[in-house]
Amino acid sequence: MHSLEIAYTQHSGRQRSMQQDALWNGQALCQSKDQPTTAIRRREESSLFAVADGVSVSPMPQLASCFVIGTLAAMLNDSPQSVLDVRQIRRVHGLLCDRFAHGRTIGSSTTLVATQIEGNQCVTINTGDSRAYRILADGNWQTLSRDHTVIESLRQQGLASCDQEYAHIYDALDSCLIADDEETEFSVHLQDSPFEVGDTLLLCSDGVHQTLGQKALEKLFDPRHSARAQAEIFRTAVLRAGAPDNFSLILVKHTGNVPA
C-alpha cells in the first residue's frame, strides 16, 4: 500500500464565465469555477486521478468533461480489479455518444488524461492535449502523455521540427472524445511507468502547460515542497500569467510505502 499526498486546484480563467474542465482527485469529481488549492492524503493500493478539458468550440463542453470523468471513475470503482486501458476509454466514448450524440448536445467534446496507480507502478492514458508528467525524486521530468494535435502529428511524421515555433492554428486537436457516433477513429496513448517513493505526478489541462510552458513548470518545481505548496505555486503562476483559459491540475506525491 502506498501513502499519497494529493493537491488539486481549478479556475475557469480570467476571461471565461464557465468551467469546462473536470477532474477526479482520487475520491470525488470536481468542476468548479474557482477551486482553491486543496490537499488530501490517502493510503491505497490502487488510485485513479484524471483531468478532462471540455473543447470550447463544441456545443456543451462542460457536460462532456464531467460525464467522461464521472463515468471512468465509476467503471474502475465498480470493478476494483480493473486496469486502466484503451478498451475502457472506447467504452466511455460509446457511453458519451449514447448520452449526448443527439439534439443540441451532439458534438460535445473533451480531452482526457488519467493515471491509475497500482503499488509502485502507474499507467497513464490520454486523448487530446491534457498532459501527465512524472517528476522523479531527483527533479528530472518525464512526459507520460502524448499531445494529439496537428503540430504533434506533423512532428511524428517528420514534417515539422521540435525546435521551431509554429502558428497557434497548428495547436488544434486532431483527436479527443466527441459525442458523435461517427467519430470513432480518435487516437489514444497509453504509457506504463514506475511510480516510486519521492516521485510526483502532475496531471493538467492545456490551460496550465500552454500558459506557462514546460520549461517554466520545471523551473517552478521544487521537490522539497509539499504537494499543496507546489500546486499553489503553479496556480499562482498561471493566474499571474493572465489565466487565458480554464485550467485544472492535480499533483500526487508518493511519500512512502506502508503495510497493508
Side-chain angles (χ1 to χ4, degrees):
M1 183 177 293
H2 46 253
S3 177
L4 302 177
E5 182 187 359
I6 303 147
Y8 61 98
T9 187
Q10 284 184 313
H11 197 281
S12 60
R14 289 278 173 82
Q15 300 170 16
R16 301 192 179 221
S17 60
M18 181 191 303
Q19 177 57 274
Q20 297 169 350
D21 291 0
L23 66 81
W24 183 262
N25 64 17
Q27 60 187 27
L29 187 148
C30 181
Q31 187 173 56
S32 171
K33 290 178 63 177
D34 187 5
Q35 171 66 47
T37 302
T38 305
I40 54 179
R41 290 183 178 271
R42 298 191 68 186
R43 291 186 175 186
E44 302 283 352
E45 185 62 32
S46 178
S47 300
L48 173 73
F49 303 93
V51 169
D53 179 6
V55 179
S56 60
V57 296
S58 71
M60 297 288 181
Q62 75 281 9
L63 298 182
S65 61
C66 188
F67 180 86
V68 163
I69 289 286
T71 301
L72 180 62
M75 278 184 183
L76 293 175
N77 287 338
D78 290 344
S79 302
Q81 303 305 314
S82 294
V83 177
L84 187 64
D85 61 21
V86 175
R87 290 176 299 175
Q88 287 176 327
I89 304 307
R90 300 286 179 189
R91 185 180 168 201
V92 168
H93 176 254
L95 294 170
L96 177 71
C97 291
D98 292 344
R99 180 70 175 271
F100 295 116
H102 51 80
R104 292 187 301 170
T105 56
I106 188 170
S108 299
S109 307
T110 185
T111 70
L112 172 68
V113 61
T115 295
Q116 185 182 36
I117 300 169
E118 292 278 354
N120 290 329
Q121 293 290 127
C122 66
V123 58
T124 300
I125 202 160
N126 83 286
T127 182
D129 61 357
S130 292
R131 290 187 183 174
Y133 300 96
R134 175 192 175 207
I135 310 164
L136 280 67
D138 62 8
N140 287 319
W141 286 54
Q142 296 177 349
T143 304
L144 303 181
S145 56
R146 177 179 295 168
D147 286 356
H148 296 119
T149 59
V150 173
I151 186 60
E152 186 61 26
S153 178
L154 292 172
R155 286 170 177 155
Q156 293 289 326
Q157 298 174 63
L159 300 176
S161 170
C162 294
D163 302 323
Q164 184 176 338
E165 291 189 7
Y166 295 88
H168 288 304
I169 192 171
Y170 291 103
D171 292 329
L173 295 173
D174 68 5
S175 277
C176 63
L177 300 174
I178 304 173
D180 187 331
D181 292 310
E182 301 298 322
E183 298 291 342
T184 59
E185 300 301 318
F186 55 90
S187 298
V188 181
H189 178 71
L190 186 144
Q191 179 72 46
D192 290 307
S193 172
F195 184 54
E196 300 172 346
V197 176
D199 288 355
T200 301
L201 293 175
L202 168 62
L203 276 65
C204 62
S205 59
D206 67 342
V208 175
H209 67 76
Q210 283 194 1
T211 299
L212 297 180
Q214 184 172 335
K215 289 183 179 179
L217 285 170
E218 292 182 16
K219 287 182 179 178
L220 288 168
F221 184 81
D222 186 333
R224 296 171 295 182
H225 288 320
S226 66
R228 188 191 185 287
Q230 186 62 63
E232 182 64 18
I233 289 169
F234 287 150
R235 173 187 168 91
T236 299
V238 176
L239 290 172
R240 286 178 176 171
D245 194 5
N246 296 251
F247 71 87
S248 298
L249 68 88
I250 305 172
L251 277 172
V252 184
K253 190 167 186 176
H254 192 330
T255 57
N257 294 316
V258 294

